[in-house]
Amino acid sequence: MFDIKGFFKRRQEGKLEEARRAHEQVRLAFTQRYLNFKTLLSLNDKVLEIITTMEQALEGEGRFGMAFVRSQCTALSVNLFRIIQSLNAISEERYRNLYPVFDRIWNRIDEELKKKKPLERREWVLSLQDVDKSLYDLAGNKMANLGEIRSRLGLPVPDGFVITTAAYDYFMGKSRLQEEINRRLQSLEPSDMAGIHETSSEIQKLIINAPFPPELEEAIVTAYRTLSQRAGSDIRVSLRSSALGEDAHEASFAGQYRSLLNVSRDFLILSYKEIAASKYSVPAIAYRLNKGFLDEDIVMGVGCMAMVQADTAGVMYSADPGGGNAPGVVINAVPGLGKSVVDGSMIPDLFVIDPRPPARIIKKEIQEKTKKFVCDPDEGVCQEIVTDAERIQPAIRDDQALALAEMAKRLEGHFGTPQDIEWAIEPGGTILVLQSRPLLILGKEPFKKTNGLDFFDQNYPLVLEGGITASPGAACGPVFRVENTVDMLQFPYGGVLVARNPLPQWAALLSTAVAVVTDQGALTGHLAAVAREFKVPALMGLQKAFQTLKPHDLITVDASHQKIY
């Protein structure tokens, strides 16, 4: 017998299930459109921010280069493409005709961005006395600036020569490595730290093991012999990177490439290859990916200069990088070579000079010294225990601090922008300029990355205070202590990087870290400079931070006021 009651019941249930499914589909469709609409609004805000940043750069007095233009255009294109995707997701592909329009416009922009000015001169080696700012494309920014300082300002600079970007192009062309390098780089992402490490190691091995053209070796050795003849005997030299784009205003590449000190004739070519290979160091690759540089735009020049047997050395800034109103010149100094200042392995002496006539020292902090870097009798550099007298003595005299400040302001005046300057003082007292590059000056308002936590309104317990504001601002995140490569590979997005020393290689983590805290270091170190570029708050020289701050503890780093909550 037919169950009519059951039939209608099942039919009703089927209709209810069908209605429920239809309702669920509508709800999911609405949710998806709502999320796409929220994404659209967010992307629109990002596009407007990028356009505003570009307009401010055009209207401002500060300089900017192709790295800035390229990175902004890349960011703009990515966000605009995602806007088109969101529009089509909301409207059932009603705006799909925007895709070919976008492609046409972006291809035209990309063609302009990829245009490369051909080198007018192709010398492999140039004497430093023949180099000035106009030869930056051949000598690289660093050595072009040093040649300018020597020839136009007449300030003391170590004698030397430049192994040019044309030499690098010739070496890479002869070795036929570039196509293989491009293949390995093309799939890398800034967040893929493991991939960057693996690719870096592979590419650097390829370059180091590549055969070196005999004719290029002869040109470099001949330049070395000429330099030795001017010095009166075979000399040791320092080899330093001088790549295109390095030492620029918005992209210093501070500490991303190698420098080799106290190199003898026997290791000249190997040292050159090591510096050429350092174009693909882990921090350098990560830096370029985050800054929007194209690999082919970075061509490696190398400076080769007579090694300075420094009594004392350091770094100075011709202005306050934090954007303060004070006119002070900031000087960091250590006994011996300046390596420990730039790599952050020591807390240097600090002098702050008011350069307005009559110039005077307005701040002085002298650290106790335990060691210094000196030239090794055989090769490279080594650490040496300081004498009892040196332990408490200032690294430089007051009159030397004032002379350095005067030199800093001359360099600032010549280049038309505040300068970041490496210097050394020879045993006879001569002050030598080893590098001068634009100094990034931050806005007066510190940046803050508190992940939604406005700690200024709270009474959180103070964990540590003191140290040096290497990069101003405040940020909140979990502690992650970094000591080695394994730690780098495991570093979490949004973590606070805590380390004993502010080593330059930690710069590879600045795109994911919200703040940096270190036991050693100073305002003028390489990691501090890159932290300011990435607008990451950094508190250095805090002595016992690594020991005190425990992994995964949630902390707020107020670098501006030198406090950790």
Side-chain angles (χ1 to χ4, degrees):
M1 184 177 176
F2 181 69
D3 183 5
I4 191 167
K5 185 176 180 181
F7 169 77
F8 282 110
K9 182 179 180 181
R10 288 191 298 274
R11 186 176 180 184
Q12 184 66 22
E13 288 174 348
K15 288 182 177 180
L16 288 172
E17 178 61 24
E18 185 178 337
R20 188 192 65 77
R21 285 198 298 268
H23 175 77
E24 183 64 16
Q25 288 175 353
V26 170
R27 188 188 68 80
L28 289 173
F30 177 82
T31 301
Q32 192 59 48
R33 289 192 181 191
Y34 172 71
L35 291 175
N36 279 313
F37 183 67
K38 283 187 68 176
T39 300
L40 179 65
L41 294 177
S42 175
L43 292 169
N44 185 65
D45 288 343
K46 288 181 181 178
V47 167
L48 292 175
E49 287 176 9
I50 294 166
I51 292 172
T52 301
T53 300
M54 297 177 81
E55 288 176 344
Q56 288 173 343
L58 283 171
E59 294 171 1
E61 297 179 358
R63 302 178 184 181
F64 59 89
M66 280 307 297
F68 171 81
V69 174
R70 185 172 292 110
S71 63
Q72 297 301 312
C73 285
T74 301
L76 197 60
S77 69
V78 169
N79 285 290
L80 284 172
F81 184 78
R82 291 179 63 195
I83 282 178
I84 296 173
Q85 287 181 315
S86 297
L87 277 172
N88 279 292
I90 293 169
S91 64
E92 298 178 346
E93 300 298 320
R94 191 184 306 167
Y95 298 98
R96 58 184 176 275
N97 289 337
L98 287 176
Y99 287 115
V101 175
F102 171 85
D103 289 339
R104 187 167 63 251
I105 295 171
W106 173 244
N107 287 336
R108 288 177 60 190
I109 294 172
D110 196 39
E111 285 176 11
E112 291 296 323
L113 294 177
K114 286 181 177 178
K115 282 183 180 178
K116 189 175 179 181
K117 181 183 176 183
L119 295 174
E120 296 176 0
R121 298 170 60 177
R122 302 300 301 174
E123 290 95 331
W124 290 340
V125 175
L126 292 172
S127 174
L128 187 57
Q129 63 192 16
D130 298 327
V131 172
D132 59 25
K133 213 165 48 171
S134 67
L135 292 179
Y136 79 93
D137 60 340
L138 204 56
N141 295 43
K142 183 179 294 179
M143 295 306 293
N145 284 351
L146 279 178
E148 179 85 3
I149 291 165
R150 174 177 172 151
S151 62
R152 301 289 176 87
L153 281 177
L155 292 175
V157 172
D159 197 5
F161 60 91
V162 183
I163 306 169
T164 66
T165 54
Y168 176 86
D169 276 342
Y170 185 76
F171 169 46
M172 296 299 287
K174 277 284 189 178
S175 60
R176 298 180 178 178
L177 290 178
Q178 197 59 56
E179 186 175 332
E180 178 62 22
I181 290 171
N182 292 344
R183 185 186 69 78
R184 294 171 188 259
L185 289 175
Q186 64 185 359
S187 61
L188 279 183
E189 295 290 337
S191 58
D192 181 14
M193 193 54 61
I196 291 173
H197 269 271
E198 182 179 358
T199 302
S200 169
S201 176
E202 291 171 350
I203 293 176
Q204 291 192 73
K205 284 177 184 175
L206 287 173
I207 295 173
I208 295 295
N209 294 327
F212 201 74
E215 58 275 29
L216 182 53
E217 180 173 353
E218 179 59 30
I220 294 171
V221 171
T222 299
Y224 169 80
R225 290 197 193 106
T226 303
L227 179 62
S228 293
Q229 287 170 3
R230 289 201 295 267
S233 63
D234 279 358
I235 61 171
R236 300 289 179 86
V237 292
S238 65
L239 275 77
R240 311 185 73 182
S241 64
S242 183
L244 294 184
E246 186 179 5
D247 289 356
H249 189 267
E250 292 287 340
S252 68
F253 282 86
Q256 309 304 291
Y257 305 133
R258 290 203 70 179
S259 293
L260 295 169
L261 307 178
N262 201 32
V263 176
S264 67
R265 156 68 185 87
D266 293 340
F267 291 93
L268 196 60
I269 302 304
L270 177 60
S271 297
Y272 170 78
K273 290 171 77 175
E274 287 185 23
I275 292 174
S278 75
K279 174 186 169 182
Y280 298 100
S281 70
V282 169
I285 292 175
Y287 187 95
R288 287 197 296 274
L289 288 173
N290 282 294
K291 285 281 186 177
F293 281 92
L294 292 176
D295 179 68
E296 57 265 32
D297 287 349
I298 306 298
V299 186
M300 184 63 74
V302 176
C304 186
M305 297 185 293
M307 187 65 204
V308 178
Q309 305 285 342
D311 261 359
T312 186
V315 178
M316 60 180 170
Y317 291 164
S318 67
D320 172 15
N325 293 319
V329 174
V330 179
I331 301 172
N332 279 150
V334 293
L337 303 174
K339 182 179 184 301
S340 59
V341 178
V342 294
D343 71 11
S345 58
M346 289 174 57
I347 300 177
D349 290 348
L350 169 68
F351 293 77
V352 181
I353 315 296
D354 183 345
R356 295 173 298 189
R360 60 191 179 92
I361 298 172
I362 56 177
K363 186 176 184 180
K364 184 195 300 189
E365 294 178 359
I366 307 304
Q367 305 293 329
E368 183 176 351
K369 292 92 176 159
T370 57
K371 59 189 177 183
K372 62 181 178 181
F373 283 100
V374 296
C375 291
D376 189 277
D378 297 320
E379 192 82 22
V381 300
C382 61
Q383 284 189 347
E384 186 179 276
I385 303 299
V386 301
T387 65
D388 289 341
E390 286 180 304
R391 292 180 75 92
I392 56 174
Q393 285 279 37
I396 54 175
R397 303 189 307 267
D398 287 1
D399 63 310
Q400 291 174 323
L402 294 171
L404 283 165
E406 181 184 1
M407 182 179 285
K409 298 312 284 188
R410 280 190 66 188
L411 289 166
E412 178 181 288
H414 179 77
F415 288 107
T417 187
Q419 294 291 293
D420 170 354
I421 304 149
E422 288 186 31
W423 54 270
I425 301 179
E426 293 183 304
T430 301
I431 301 174
L432 296 170
V433 180
L434 306 181
Q435 173 186 286
S436 189
R437 63 182 170 208
L439 174 66
L440 177 64
I441 302 295
L442 303 173
K444 294 188 172 88
E445 289 298 319
F447 30 87
K448 184 172 74 169
K449 298 180 180 179
T450 57
N451 294 348
L453 175 65
D454 192 353
F455 71 94
F456 294 110
D457 296 331
Q458 308 293 334
N459 292 316
Y460 291 105
L462 184 66
V463 180
L464 286 170
E465 63 180 326
I468 299 157
T469 302
S471 180
C476 175
V479 170
F480 194 91
R481 300 197 297 199
V482 178
E483 291 189 276
N484 50 45
T485 300
V486 174
D487 295 335
M488 289 184 70
L489 296 178
Q490 296 175 347
F491 192 86
Y493 183 84
V496 175
L497 194 164
V498 178
R500 299 184 195 277
N501 296 319
L503 301 179
Q505 57 259 42
W506 304 154
L509 300 173
L510 291 178
S511 63
T512 52
V514 295
V516 176
V517 179
T518 62
D519 288 355
Q520 302 294 323
L523 177 70
T524 55
H526 284 153
L527 186 65
V530 182
R532 290 192 292 272
E533 286 182 34
F534 279 82
K535 296 187 176 180
V536 175
L539 186 56
M540 297 180 178
L542 208 50
Q543 301 290 346
K544 295 182 179 180
F546 192 88
Q547 172 186 331
T548 304
L549 300 174
K550 304 305 179 186
H552 312 301
D553 280 356
L554 186 66
I555 63 170
T556 295
V557 180
D558 180 3
S560 297
H561 301 96
Q562 301 168 348
K563 296 179 187 294
I564 297 178
Y565 298 89

